[in-house]
Amino acid sequence: MKHLLSAKDLTHDEAVMVLDTAEAMAATQRHAVKKLPTLRGKTVVNLFFEDSTRTRLSFEAAAKRLSADVINFSAKGSSVSKGESLKDTAQTIMAMGADAVVVRHSACGAAHLLAHAGWINVPVLNAGDGTHQHPTQALLDAMTLRRWYIPGATETADGSPAPQGRDLEGARLIIVGDVLHSRVARSNVDLMTALGAKVTLVAPPTLLPVGMDDWPCEVSYNLDEAIEEIQPDAVMMLRIQRERMSAAGGGFFPSPAEYSSVYGLTSARRRAMPEHAIVMHPGPMNRGLEITAEAADDPRSRIIEQVGNGVSVRMAALYLLLADEGNQL
């Protein structure tokens, strides 16, 4: 595979390979000198047509720690605001000598178009396209869960790096919230199930997409019942994407207070989870809406760890696409 466009494109073995490589990258970041010479002389372009903090900075840090040169492009203040097309922007970037392009775009399929339209001839990494896919987010979530998941766990894990070659067979993951607008939910369902996990989506009917019959997951409308019945190893809360709801006219739930009372992760719901279970969130969080401050800062919260794992996963993806020619994605 020349590109990383969708979590669904990754086979079980490819996903495990990326996760194992990410663990190796994480080990290098515990050294006094974090920078590796692996991609010296390569240029990575971050092509961001949507606002981002974690993903953009994470890809930038990953490329720089592999010694690549980085060009950051933001649609705001660029020729895109003057009407320049994705094609012309991409070809302009290529003329600057890009060796890989990381793209985030509001349109579903933008990364796939960029990779296959013939405009450029370098690896494309999808950093999020509309409500469609966000493969590196799913990989960092899998890396986080894999570190803490112990099959049949009854006690808290020690958080040591996962053994090489290990998947998530038997893990139970609940994903809660705005599934309708979430590329994170779609990517996690694809990747986590490929790794052997059982995924349950919990949301009000208004925040679930139409046509979920072929999704390899279960669906519940009651968070308390799901926690009690599933006894999850992890609960991942999704951000309520109010900016997309406003564009669609709103009306997805009666009020923020009612949503929080029924679907928010509170301290009481955290206590109802198994003791070993971890709390996850892709960020940014709406504290007080989908998650309380107490739950976000709980000792079992791995939200900050997810951010750190994102750098390792993105280092692994860039390495496998650009440096390790005999073991390509």
Side-chain angles (χ1 to χ4, degrees), residues 9 132 181 198 222 329:
D9 294 339
H132 179 227
H181 302 106
K198 176 186 176 182
N222 190 307
L329 275 173

Side-chain angles (χ1 to χ4, degrees), residues 171-176 179 185 189-190 193 197-203 208-209 212-222 226 229-230:
R172 301 176 302 277
L173 171 64
I174 293 177
I175 301 176
V176 188
V179 178
V189 168
D190 291 335
T193 55
K198 176 186 176 182
V199 180
T200 301
L201 300 177
V202 179
L208 290 169
M212 294 183 63
D213 295 343
D214 61 343
W215 287 35
C217 63
E218 301 295 325
V219 175
S220 172
Y221 306 115
N222 190 307
E229 294 172 6
I230 295 168

Side-chain angles (χ1 to χ4, degrees), residues 21-36:
T21 305
E23 289 290 357
M25 293 297 176
T28 69
Q29 300 308 293
R30 292 189 284 271
H31 299 162
V33 178
K34 296 180 174 62
K35 202 162 189 177
L36 304 174

